[in-house]
Amino acid sequence: MGGRRFLLCGAVVASPGVPLRSPGYVAVVDNRIYDVGEGTPPDTVYTSEWRRLDLSGCLITPGLICTHHHLYQTITRGLAPDATLFEWLTTLYPLWAHLTPEMVEISSQAGLALLALSGCTTVADHAYLFPKDVDPFEWIQAEVAAAQRVGLRLYLARGAMDLGRSQGGLPPDEVVETIDEALMRMAQAVKQLHDPKPDAHVRVALGPCSPFSASSQLYRESARLARSLGVRLHTHLAETMDEEEYTRERFGVRPYAYVRSLGFDGPDLWVAHAVHLDEEEIAAFAEAGTSVAHCPTSNGRLGAGIAPVAQMMRGGVNVGLGVDGAASNEGAQMQAELHQALLFARAKEGPTALSTQEVLTMATLGGARCLGWEAEMGKLEPGMLADMAAWRIDSLTDSGIHDPLAAWVLGTPRAAEAVWVDGRPVVQSGRLVDLDMEVLACELDTHSRRLLQAGGMMR
Ligand SMILES: [Zn+2]
């Protein structure tokens, strides 16, 4: 046995579906978990060749998986603070039309940095907006470069909008593509960036944006294209009542029935939000094996409603967690999303709606299932990728809380102490390994001012 090998010891180890190991240890060889055990690692197996990291006072979890984001939005946070989704979108679309690939790279770096610092190791990013005068491939390459820089895995949902205002859609014409452009560029993104290997750092899915910004034809054709290329499908669905009114008025049906009729259905699809699903639709989701990316903070920020996640999970629907774009979730931190998910679920569906163990599952294994990646990530088990996060649970914030998951989920949302992707540290002692956070904060501020000036929203 050669290569890199190390041991995380002395911490509480939490993984979906198994009791806490307290203390436990995790052994890593190269980019995979070699073993997970209870107590002290035996000296007979773990000789002096193994580097030991003492993580006493910490909780170790699988790396969190963010199943829905829009990284380009990190540069436009805090705008339209009191608006509905449609008002918020119509305020922001014209501003986003001024984004450059350089701004997208800084915005993505910042978004990915916030995720890494909050324990995330894989992010699904829905990139659906491409201004007319920008090279769209350069735009997504900027995101890929940012993910490589920060060190996280990126699942890029190459989205598109083709229903500009002149066609009865919500976005202005300068941020939409034609159907032919969108399909050709989607295929190009898959061909050039999608890596099917089990330990890939970049994968690509296809995802028309939403029923009110993408045409029926784009939905139908991109479903066909994704299936011919063997990649997954993603879209926004049933986020607000406005969306429901939109599809009822134009197509005479609710949003899910509408996209289903266009091929958006099945185990290769995960949808963002699913706030407004009725009982029948929940049963149909379970039957089809379609997953949900639950984004509670964004849904709260935009007053969209609260997705019935407990009902979905009891009904057999797989649910993962996402932060959604940072323009509707200014914090955009994964660990805070767990806290929010639990509180929202109990507020809506009662005190037994969601347990701390279930919310851990949602943020890890549930996310991996959304992305069809559950054979490699989402659990701490031998053979899985060494994507992990360690969290301090011994400071004043948690002092006297003797249930580690209660501290982690119910207590104050927190940053990760350390994060590993492929067994390689991305965050150490609460700081990014490969990026200077202070420099990045300055760059984000400078570029966001430039963007607001370009969009006439700042002098
Ligand atoms: Zn979204």
Side-chain angles (χ1 to χ4, degrees):
M1 186 174 67
R4 173 182 42 189
R5 55 178 97 169
F6 63 91
L7 266 172
L8 308 177
C9 4
V12 177
V13 178
S15 184
V18 294
L20 292 180
R21 294 173 170 101
S22 181
Y25 61 89
V26 182
V28 174
V29 175
D30 295 329
N31 71 341
R32 298 272 174 182
I33 294 172
Y34 174 74
D35 192 18
V36 184
E38 182 115 40
T40 313
D43 291 337
T44 45
V45 179
Y46 300 106
T47 56
S48 58
E49 282 171 36
W50 289 77
R51 193 161 55 90
R52 285 174 188 248
L53 284 139
D54 180 11
L55 288 171
S56 304
C58 286
L59 172 71
I60 300 173
T61 66
L64 306 184
I65 297 170
C66 175
T67 57
H68 185 70
H69 205 319
H70 309 290
L71 289 166
Y72 77 86
Q73 292 181 5
T74 317
I75 198 165
T76 56
R77 294 189 289 170
L79 299 169
D82 306 311
T84 67
L85 173 68
F86 280 16
E87 291 163 359
W88 173 89
L89 279 169
T90 47
T91 307
L92 285 160
Y93 283 138
L95 182 64
W96 293 332
H98 294 277
L99 280 164
T100 65
E102 189 192 6
M103 289 172 181
V104 171
E105 185 158 354
I106 296 292
S107 184
S108 301
Q109 276 185 11
L112 288 154
L114 291 168
L115 287 178
L117 291 164
S118 60
C120 178
T121 49
T122 295
V123 53
D125 191 65
H126 195 183
Y128 61 83
L129 178 138
F130 300 95
K132 286 241 180 288
D133 53 355
V134 165
D135 174 350
F137 194 65
E138 213 182 310
W139 176 297
I140 56 177
Q141 275 178 314
E143 278 195 31
V144 171
Q148 282 164 347
R149 183 79 200 277
V150 179
L152 302 194
R153 294 184 209 276
L154 177 68
Y155 213 123
L156 186 91
R158 205 302 185 179
M161 304 192 290
D162 67 328
L163 214 52
R165 212 165 286 154
S166 62
Q167 306 292 313
L170 196 68
D173 290 349
E174 64 262 30
V175 293
V176 306
E177 301 171 275
T178 65
I179 292 184
D180 289 346
E181 281 169 350
L183 292 169
M184 193 255 295
R185 292 163 180 172
M186 283 174 168
Q188 182 198 19
V190 173
K191 217 167 274 174
Q192 301 202 17
L193 298 170
H194 180 69
D195 180 357
K197 285 203 294 290
D199 58 354
H201 273 237
V202 180
R203 283 190 178 178
V204 180
L206 304 186
C209 184
S210 65
F212 50 85
S213 61
S215 68
S216 310
Q217 198 190 340
L218 181 57
Y219 267 100
R220 200 180 294 117
E221 296 286 327
S222 49
R224 218 173 274 160
L225 180 63
R227 283 165 187 146
S228 75
L229 296 170
V231 297
R232 298 179 76 74
L233 282 170
H234 184 50
T235 191
H236 290 98
L237 193 78
E239 180 174 0
T240 62
M241 288 307 292
D242 287 344
E243 177 190 330
E244 192 173 314
E245 272 161 39
Y246 184 94
T247 63
R248 272 185 189 284
E249 214 169 86
R250 281 173 179 71
F251 312 109
V253 287
R254 292 162 60 83
Y256 182 39
Y258 168 62
V259 300
R260 244 185 140 179
S261 71
L262 306 169
F264 268 64
D265 195 25
D268 55 352
L269 168 68
W270 87 103
V271 306
H273 304 304
V275 170
H276 302 284
L277 291 192
D278 63 22
E279 255 174 58
E280 245 173 69
E281 289 169 325
I282 290 173
F285 259 64
E287 169 99 28
T290 297
S291 291
V292 170
H294 175 44
C295 305
T297 302
S298 169
N299 296 151
R301 152 70 147 101
L302 293 168
I306 306 168
V309 286
Q311 206 189 333
M312 288 185 204
M313 288 167 79
R314 309 281 180 263
V317 179
N318 176 57
V319 181
L321 265 186
V323 298
D324 204 0
S328 63
N329 175 359
E330 277 66 12
Q333 301 190 5
M334 267 308 282
Q335 204 275 337
E337 215 60 38
L338 269 92
H339 179 76
Q340 199 78 290
L342 182 130
L343 299 187
F344 271 21
R346 290 187 184 174
K348 183 182 173 74
E349 298 172 274
T352 58
L354 200 61
S355 68
T356 54
Q357 180 65 237
E358 282 171 322
V359 84
L360 164 72
T361 303
M362 195 190 275
T364 54
L365 189 58
R369 287 184 179 136
C370 284
L371 307 182
W373 222 334
E374 66 272 25
E376 309 293 334
M377 62 175 70
K379 286 187 283 189
L380 298 177
E381 274 180 14
M384 303 296 272
L385 290 168
D387 291 3
M388 312 167 290
W391 316 82
R392 290 235 76 89
I393 49 167
D394 61 350
S395 67
L396 180 60
T397 344
D398 309 302
S399 178
I401 306 181
H402 303 290
D403 173 346
L405 279 188
W408 188 57
V409 179
L410 303 175
T412 313
R414 69 203 62 214
E417 170 73 7
V419 177
W420 298 263
V421 174
D422 273 336
R424 190 187 149 272
V426 169
V427 172
Q428 266 180 328
S429 305
R431 298 192 66 82
L432 295 166
V433 172
D434 292 327
L435 268 182
D436 186 319
M437 285 151 60
E438 285 71 29
V439 171
L440 183 55
C442 282
E443 284 176 345
L444 184 63
D445 185 65
T446 306
H447 282 82
S448 79
R449 285 172 190 278
R450 219 169 273 166
L451 178 64
L452 290 170
Q453 282 160 359
M457 291 174 77
M458 185 186 265
R459 296 180 58 186

